[in-house]
Amino acid sequence: MGNFTTSSILLLFLFSSVVTSLPLSTNSRWIVDDRGRRVKLACVNWASHMEPVLAEGLSKQPMDTIAKRIVSMGFNCVRFTWPLYLITNDSLASLTVRQSFQQLGLLESIAGIQANNPSIIDVSLIKAYQAVVSSLGKNNVMVILDNHISKPGWCCSNLDDNGFFGDKYFDPDLWITGLTRMATLFNGVTNVVGMSLRNEPRGPKQNINDWYKYMPKGDEAVHSANPNVLVILSGLSFDRDLSFLKNQQLKLTFSGKLVFDAHWYGFSDGQTTWLKDNPNEVCGRVVTYMMNTSGYLVDQGYPLFIGEFGIDQSGANVNGNRYISCFLGVAAELDLDWALWTLAGSYYLRDGVVGLNEYYRAMDYNWCGARNSSFIQRISALQSPFRGPGLSEAKPHKVIFHPLTGLCITRKSLVRPLQLGPCTDTYPWSYSPQKTLVVKGTRFCLQTDASGTSVKLGIFCTGSNSKWETISDSKMHLSAKLRDGKSICLDVASDNTIITNGCKCISKDNACDPSSQWFKLVDSTRSSTRVERSLFPYLPGKGLVPNHLVG
């Protein structure tokens, strides 16, 4: 597939650069600013919950440099993790950064922090945490404070004693005290827009009754101490399951601030599920599970924040590579808020290993730039909202989104065929009850004449070659029938031209990869720069017509 150009990235950045008026609140399923306009949280996770209790990477680069690189990658938000003991354990809280690293024998990291961030080397750990939040604020990056764990360290397992209320390191009363102190500490810090109460509840002690007993207490404590922040709640089973809310709604004394959090990785579906089974069938199965356990909340009028997702950025994990196209299709279709795991290119100390490489990293090992710029380009279309309150730049329409590339169907010039391009530069489509895909405001529909050839726009839209059905369990194959009755599917050529081919991997076969043929019809109200009068002049009785058909 062809790559995004630098100018395309800039276009997306400019498109999404809308001043956000804080604080944030909720309006049904949407997060909005104080003017009522949709704000899409496009976040990246930045870990500060490990044994040193300092934001990762500060031995490699100045924090302001890292903040600017976060912005340059298109993120508007950081999910900033913290361990409960940072704010509740006096002996830990009183340590300076230097002392914390000395205790762990991390002398090389001390030298790096001294060189790159000298202002924090001899301040307390909580002051250093505040300094990072402040640096992000100066760069207009919103922050969600995420209580990731109690005892500092890597997270998470079922048996780490940090998983659920009553575990060795998870005392409910101490947790509420910590949330209250953290909410109070950041009250008035405008770029702190939310608090995620606890990461991935899990383990043998997890149960619904205690969830309902303690989670509302945490909600109320945070809101009482800092009524400006969103309160973000996680479900059970590593934040995979919020299905119990179907039977019992949460009762709170406040409104307009509650957001639910869900996590979804390829390994969440099984370490080898995407390898062993047919990708279309797996995608259909896991999307059904996700909609039943968390996605349904969107239809019930609650914002759903995917607080963690991600893949091995080296591209070597086939299981993850297949999952991510399925995930991005869902994220686009539902227009979800999200946070990528993770920013960290490397760790000071993880699982006893100094300088451990992070394969899911957004940054490279030395925190100098993006680890995988093509992946950042791929998610860039999802960093801006497709729809929501206050986003009525265009009449409701569809865009045809391609999860494998993160691009949409468009046309760069009249002499070029339809191809993939930035989703800010796409045709607005309508999808009729007759299953035709029509360029909105015109009479021209998407058609195919033969397998292996480019699709086209035509004006005779009643034939089977103009009727596009979503087939396969993934619901992402767009299929039409040729005049001889053969079914073909939309596909993408190596130069990003939109073509049709025989439909791939519909069922059973687990060896093939259908992702080049996966497309999502996404509802949108954001404007496009592509459809202009010069491309579709008006003819009396015919409406807007492509220039090459005029005459």
Side-chain angles (χ1 to χ4, degrees):
M1 304 297 168
N3 289 328
F4 238 1
T5 64
T6 301
S7 60
S8 299
I9 300 172
L10 178 61
L11 181 60
L12 277 175
F13 177 77
L14 292 173
F15 180 86
S16 60
S17 296
V18 177
V19 175
T20 300
S21 183
L22 302 174
L24 303 182
S25 59
T26 65
N27 177 359
S28 183
R29 62 145 298 187
W30 307 108
I31 295 170
V32 297
D33 65 17
D34 71 354
R35 297 171 298 181
R37 182 181 174 90
R38 167 87 192 275
V39 174
K40 182 166 185 175
L41 298 178
C43 311
V44 64
N45 282 274
W46 193 352
S48 188
H49 65 276
M50 309 284 274
E51 287 94 334
V53 198
L54 181 70
E56 301 291 338
L58 299 186
S59 65
K60 303 285 189 181
Q61 300 290 335
M63 64 177 72
D64 183 68
T65 299
I66 295 174
K68 285 178 167 56
R69 284 175 182 155
I70 290 169
V71 173
S72 73
M73 290 188 286
F75 300 107
N76 64 5
C77 162
V78 162
R79 182 176 179 254
F80 195 26
T81 70
W82 58 281
L84 185 64
Y85 290 178
L86 171 64
I87 200 77
T88 61
N89 184 300
D90 291 340
S91 60
L92 178 63
S94 64
L95 286 179
T96 66
V97 171
R98 186 190 302 274
Q99 291 168 339
S100 177
F101 279 74
Q102 283 175 336
Q103 286 187 358
L104 296 166
L106 300 175
L107 302 184
E108 185 177 341
S109 292
I110 292 174
I113 297 166
Q114 180 78 62
N116 288 293
N117 293 282
S119 64
I120 66 165
I121 191 67
D122 290 313
V123 305
S124 66
L125 294 174
I126 190 64
K127 290 289 186 183
Y129 190 91
Q130 290 176 280
V132 174
V133 172
S134 177
S135 178
L136 291 167
K138 290 174 183 176
N139 287 279
N140 298 315
V141 178
M142 295 177 286
V143 175
I144 293 168
L145 307 178
D146 170 61
N147 177 221
H148 210 70
I149 202 166
S150 295
K151 181 183 178 183
W154 181 246
C155 180
C156 302
S157 79
N158 274 314
L159 302 175
D160 61 10
D161 290 324
N162 274 277
F164 201 70
F165 304 112
D167 277 351
K168 181 178 180 180
Y169 303 116
F170 198 170
D171 176 82
D173 294 330
L174 188 65
W175 172 69
I176 291 172
T177 297
L179 290 176
T180 302
R181 289 179 180 177
M182 206 68 164
T184 302
L185 183 65
F186 286 95
N187 192 345
V189 180
T190 55
N191 68 309
V192 173
V193 298
M195 285 188 63
S196 177
L197 269 58
R198 188 70 175 197
N199 181 66
E200 297 189 353
R202 61 196 177 277
K205 290 185 178 180
Q206 67 175 335
N207 65 88
I208 293 172
N209 289 338
D210 280 346
W211 191 96
Y212 278 105
K213 180 179 180 179
Y214 294 115
M215 283 296 184
K217 292 181 180 180
D219 293 346
E220 298 287 357
V222 167
H223 185 72
S224 178
N226 189 343
N228 288 323
V229 295
L230 300 172
V231 180
I232 304 174
L233 276 187
S234 300
L236 299 175
S237 300
F238 292 86
D239 207 2
R240 292 270 287 163
D241 186 8
L242 287 156
S243 60
F244 49 86
L245 289 164
K246 295 176 182 177
N247 301 318
Q248 183 181 347
Q249 293 294 315
L250 204 62
K251 295 180 180 178
L252 301 171
T253 62
F254 61 92
S255 61
K257 292 292 183 178
L258 181 62
V259 176
F260 288 105
D261 183 12
H263 294 181
W264 183 8
Y265 293 97
F267 58 76
S268 305
D269 309 316
Q271 292 288 350
T272 59
T273 298
W274 289 90
L275 280 172
K276 293 188 303 181
D277 298 337
N278 174 269
N280 274 304
E281 293 172 343
V282 175
C283 185
R285 187 165 68 241
V286 300
V287 170
T288 297
Y289 174 84
M290 179 264 183
M291 291 303 298
N292 286 335
T293 55
S294 60
Y296 75 93
L297 288 163
V298 169
D299 295 328
Q300 291 195 356
Y302 293 101
L304 180 63
F305 175 62
I306 304 299
E308 290 185 23
F309 78 98
I311 58 169
D312 179 346
Q313 293 285 336
S314 73
N317 188 307
V318 176
N319 198 71
N321 294 343
R322 291 182 175 181
Y323 134 82
I324 196 66
S325 289
C326 180
F327 170 83
L328 294 177
V330 175
E333 183 178 33
L334 298 180
D335 202 6
L336 296 172
D337 301 270
W338 48 261
L340 175 70
W341 186 271
T342 177
L343 182 67
S346 55
Y347 296 99
Y348 307 119
L349 178 69
R350 174 179 155 185
D351 294 331
V353 180
V354 175
L356 185 71
N357 177 42
E358 169 60 77
Y359 289 98
Y360 278 58
R361 65 191 191 229
M363 301 287 286
D364 62 26
Y365 184 85
N366 288 313
W367 295 68
C368 294
R371 163 68 176 83
N372 184 342
S373 59
S374 64
F375 182 79
I376 299 300
Q377 293 164 358
R378 184 176 177 185
I379 64 174
S380 61
L382 306 187
Q383 291 175 323
S384 299
F386 285 104
R387 54 197 168 100
L391 299 181
S392 54
E393 299 160 346
K395 292 182 179 179
H397 60 275
K398 305 280 188 184
V399 298
I400 307 176
F401 177 69
H402 189 243
L404 179 61
T405 58
L407 304 176
C408 292
I409 294 183
T410 186
R411 170 181 274 157
K412 291 190 175 180
S413 74
L414 292 174
V415 297
R416 299 284 299 277
L418 290 168
Q419 61 187 129
L420 294 176
C423 292
T424 53
D425 199 22
T426 180
Y427 287 149
W429 302 86
S430 63
Y431 188 54
S432 74
Q434 294 74 37
K435 302 188 184 302
T436 56
L437 280 164
V438 178
V439 178
K440 202 166 180 69
T442 80
R443 297 185 180 184
F444 292 86
C445 63
L446 189 67
Q447 295 181 338
T448 180
D449 286 333
S451 180
T453 62
S454 299
V455 297
K456 64 179 185 179
L457 294 176
I459 57 175
F460 301 106
C461 303
T462 57
S464 62
N465 67 330
S466 301
K467 299 183 185 301
W468 299 91
E469 299 190 56
T470 54
I471 64 167
S472 79
D473 288 358
S474 70
K475 305 274 193 304
M476 286 199 283
H477 279 87
L478 284 171
S479 176
K481 289 186 177 180
L482 301 176
R483 291 180 177 85
D484 62 5
K486 178 183 177 182
S487 293
I488 45 84
C489 283
L490 279 188
D491 207 338
V492 183
S494 59
D495 63 353
N496 277 358
T497 298
I498 307 301
I499 60 174
T500 53
N501 277 316
C503 301
K504 297 191 294 188
C505 321
I506 298 300
S507 62
K508 297 181 180 178
D509 186 356
N510 68 340
C512 69
D513 182 0
S515 56
S516 72
Q517 293 188 343
W518 279 357
F519 293 84
K520 267 292 181 184
L521 300 179
V522 177
D523 291 324
S524 178
T525 57
R526 72 188 191 189
S527 62
S528 169
T529 59
R530 173 51 52 192
V531 181
E532 302 169 346
R533 289 278 179 180
S534 59
L535 293 181
F536 289 92
Y538 180 83
L539 291 183
K542 295 184 179 180
L544 295 174
V545 185
N547 269 332
H548 68 286
L549 294 178
V550 177

